[in-house]
Amino acid sequence: MTQPQTLTITRPDDWHLHLRDDAALAYTVPWSAAQFARAIVMPNLRPAVVSTAQALDYRMRILSSRPYGSVFEPLMTLYLTDSTPPAEIVRARASGVVHAVKLYPAGATTNSDSGVTDLERVYPVFEVMQAEGMPLLIHGEVTDSQVDVFDREAVFIERHLVRIRRDFPALKIVLEHVTTAQAVRYVRDQTALDARGTPLLAATITAHHLLYNRNAMFAGGMRPHYYCLPILKREQHRQALLEAATSGDARFFLGTDSAPHARVLKEAACGCAGCLTAPHALELYAHAFEQCGALHRLEGFASFYGADFYGLKRNDSRVTLLRGGSTVPERLPYVDGDIVPLDAGRTLDWRLERSGSLPG
Ligand code: DOR
Ligand code: ZN
């Protein structure tokens, strides 16, 4: 069979993205705007985005960083803390621009120190979220130092997610950046739908977890640019993620978790967690899907299922991928000097055709 030379799909959205703030926005917003129509923007800034008023301000800073002519739409989130007032959810919903609330277990990852220390404390907030139809986005890892770092996602599901779902059966939940066969199995086992007929529980999957297993972090030495959280897992888990992403199951959709950190902060004695994939995200996903002979499943995963889950309209515009990729730059300019994208120096099989109004 001859290989397709182009692939045109509905413009995708990124359902999990870190744009950072201030000077970083001049880099991060154009990267994502060139690829995606919309993105769910993570709130783990310093200080964290804990109120609707802060989310509105942050949104304005993002909008003013868009390239000329771009209609990229940031979908804002709130950062859940032990002291989030339940009334904040009502305000967030009424704003029309806050689309979800993010749960970071305190200490689980970058800027999560003001996260939730005890789930019972936020039960009154979950109550209102359930009533308001506000999705809960979960960084699903336990922070217990007794639990091996590679097991933290599976243990979170057993210890916490099962209980949240039992106590709030109508709460919409996204288990973010799933990395394990256990997470895939758990999400698949939950078949409940909301009133609109869309799944109550879904999961995002990153490009880096589809493309790499944990060996990538140690190939010939320590490779900090492959260090992210949840950490890369064994090959059997990557295979489970590939199978889920390419299965056409609407409970699994695209979320890059592109998480920029300047090169000096990654190549350090205690390097930050996060992979930068936003500048070439779609090319990476296309590569992963093609490896499985499932390019025809990319559009549902990248452009339909997330919008359906969030109750948003699917995009009208389209993007085209062309065979014959460009080489990923070794470094890109960024705050504090530069940044190393995932797969730096590698030539990808696909490249995104750049539309006229958006810089590449
Ligand atoms: O690798 C990660 N980086 N995982 C996260 O959960 C947070 C993110 C970040 O903000 O850097
Ligand atoms: Zn993230």
Side-chain angles (χ1 to χ4, degrees), residues 29-270:
V29 176
W31 288 332
S32 290
Q35 297 246 334
F36 297 104
R38 299 170 287 197
I40 285 276
V41 180
M42 288 297 129
N44 61 334
L45 307 179
R46 275 188 194 280
V49 181
V50 297
S51 71
T52 307
Q54 286 172 310
L56 289 168
D57 286 349
Y58 182 32
R59 178 170 175 274
M60 290 314 291
R61 296 194 294 279
I62 296 168
L63 291 178
S64 55
S65 307
R66 292 186 302 187
Y68 180 75
S70 167
V71 293
F72 175 72
E73 191 187 350
L75 308 171
M76 308 312 293
T77 61
L78 293 189
Y79 184 115
L80 190 62
T81 73
D82 284 350
S83 51
T84 300
E88 194 58 53
I89 303 305
V90 181
R91 278 192 287 277
R93 193 29 117 205
S95 75
V97 304
V98 175
H99 291 265
V101 173
K102 179 74 188 276
L103 165 65
Y104 289 102
T109 188
T110 311
N111 297 351
S112 64
D113 24 302
S114 35
V116 173
T117 59
D118 176 1
L119 282 171
E120 302 268 321
R121 293 196 188 192
V122 290
Y123 266 33
V125 181
F126 288 169
E127 201 74 63
V128 179
M129 289 175 63
Q130 179 170 251
E132 294 276 329
M134 178 68 90
L136 175 68
L137 314 184
I138 300 182
H139 183 112
E141 287 192 289
V142 293
T143 54
D144 184 344
S145 60
Q146 302 297 307
V147 177
D148 189 280
V149 68
F150 293 96
D151 297 333
R152 288 182 186 176
E153 180 175 280
V155 173
F156 182 92
I157 293 168
E158 286 164 20
R159 278 194 197 165
H160 302 297
L161 186 55
V162 168
R163 206 149 55 87
I164 298 173
R165 298 248 324 121
R166 185 197 65 202
D167 295 343
F168 300 93
L171 181 60
K172 282 195 73 98
I173 295 176
V174 183
L175 188 55
E176 298 289 340
H177 42 54
V178 289
T179 61
T180 56
Q182 290 93 326
V184 166
R185 200 173 320 121
Y186 181 76
V187 171
R188 279 236 169 90
D189 284 348
Q190 315 298 307
T191 53
L193 303 176
D194 65 10
R196 285 186 289 105
T198 58
L200 276 164
L201 177 67
T204 51
I205 304 182
T206 76
H208 43 286
H209 290 104
L210 289 177
L211 289 167
Y212 291 102
N213 64 36
R214 65 190 194 178
N215 289 345
M217 285 183 294
F218 310 110
M222 292 264 291
R223 305 252 176 202
H225 299 293
Y226 292 90
Y227 173 61
C228 62
L229 290 171
I231 201 157
L232 296 174
K233 305 295 194 298
R234 284 176 184 275
E235 177 63 11
Q236 73 202 56
H237 296 290
R238 186 179 82 92
Q239 290 298 332
L241 299 178
L242 277 170
E243 199 278 314
T246 61
S247 66
D249 184 331
R251 287 170 293 189
F252 299 97
F253 48 82
L254 186 155
T256 63
D257 197 17
S258 181
H261 294 279
R263 188 171 58 84
V264 288
L265 299 176
K266 292 283 293 174
E267 297 175 3
C270 184

